[in-house]
Amino acid sequence: AWKWGEEPPDYVYNLHDGQVAGATAYGGAWEVGGGMVRNNSDERGAKLVMGSKRWKDYTLTADLKFDGEHGDMGLLVRSTDEEDGVDAYDGYYVGLRTTDATLIIGRSDYGWMEARPVPMPGGVHANTWYPLPEPAVECRIAASSQNLTTGQQAWITIEEHPCAASGRIGLRSLAPGGM
């Protein structure tokens, strides 16, 4: 049992039993099993959200693999007030985009404000795994990714004051399905 003043425990979602406890889907066709979450939909802005609105500083890590080209996929942090639709949430998003081969980061508050995208060395391609760790500490959101085929990396960070200080985690895809 965790006690105040101690290092909080890692929270790991079990992706082997066919469901993600407490997850809510906003669009998409999500499947869970075999250690993966898959969106089988080409829907724009499908989200799978989980966790607590009270979560503040944390690191969310996922490995991404696109099924096709022409879209983006990534992670939501500090997300609240989610609804169906592309930018229908309040929070941050970090992802990879295939159309211009970039690592992207931005803020949604029922509209989208994107920081300057960072080119992903080696490109962003279907059927390639890309790790995406994303720490959120105070008002700084950061991410990095690596093309596991080439070993090349890219990094991106934003800082916003005032910021969305707490919220859930999630997965989001815009157009291509993937894992």
Side-chain angles (χ1 to χ4, degrees):
W2 179 75
K3 294 178 184 165
W4 187 257
E6 293 179 354
E7 177 97 11
D10 289 343
Y11 193 94
V12 178
Y13 282 95
N14 179 354
L15 303 179
H16 293 279
D17 63 3
Q19 62 183 353
V20 176
T24 302
Y26 296 93
W30 301 93
E31 292 179 1
V32 179
M36 292 181 275
V37 177
R38 174 188 268 296
N39 183 13
N40 292 313
S41 169
D42 288 339
E43 182 178 338
R44 292 178 43 84
K47 298 177 281 295
L48 184 67
V49 181
M50 61 218 69
S52 169
K53 287 183 180 182
R54 294 175 290 171
W55 287 357
K56 290 186 177 187
D57 294 346
Y58 51 79
T59 298
L60 175 60
T61 302
D63 295 326
L64 307 176
K65 183 169 95 168
F66 292 85
D67 285 343
E69 305 289 338
H70 309 295
D72 65 69
M73 183 168 42
L75 304 172
L76 298 174
V77 296
R78 296 193 179 150
S79 179
T80 59
D81 303 323
E82 302 89 2
E83 297 179 8
D84 286 338
V86 177
D87 299 321
Y89 65 99
D90 183 10
Y92 301 95
Y93 171 74
V94 174
L96 293 167
R97 187 164 45 212
T98 60
T99 51
D100 60 358
T102 57
L103 177 62
I104 60 174
I105 193 168
R107 169 77 188 271
S108 177
D109 189 3
Y110 289 84
W112 178 245
M113 294 183 304
E114 184 174 294
R116 182 181 308 235
V118 173
M120 186 66 191
V124 178
H125 306 285
N127 301 311
T128 301
W129 286 102
Y130 298 91
L132 188 65
E134 180 179 5
V137 178
E138 295 177 356
C139 289
R140 181 174 292 145
I141 311 295
S144 64
S145 190
Q146 180 179 27
N147 180 319
L148 294 179
T149 303
T150 67
Q152 296 170 301
Q153 295 182 322
W155 299 266
I156 195 165
T157 302
I158 62 170
E159 188 167 342
E160 179 182 55
H161 296 279
C163 63
S166 65
R168 289 182 282 271
I169 61 173
L171 305 171
R172 189 190 100 169
S173 66
L174 184 80
M179 296 180 259

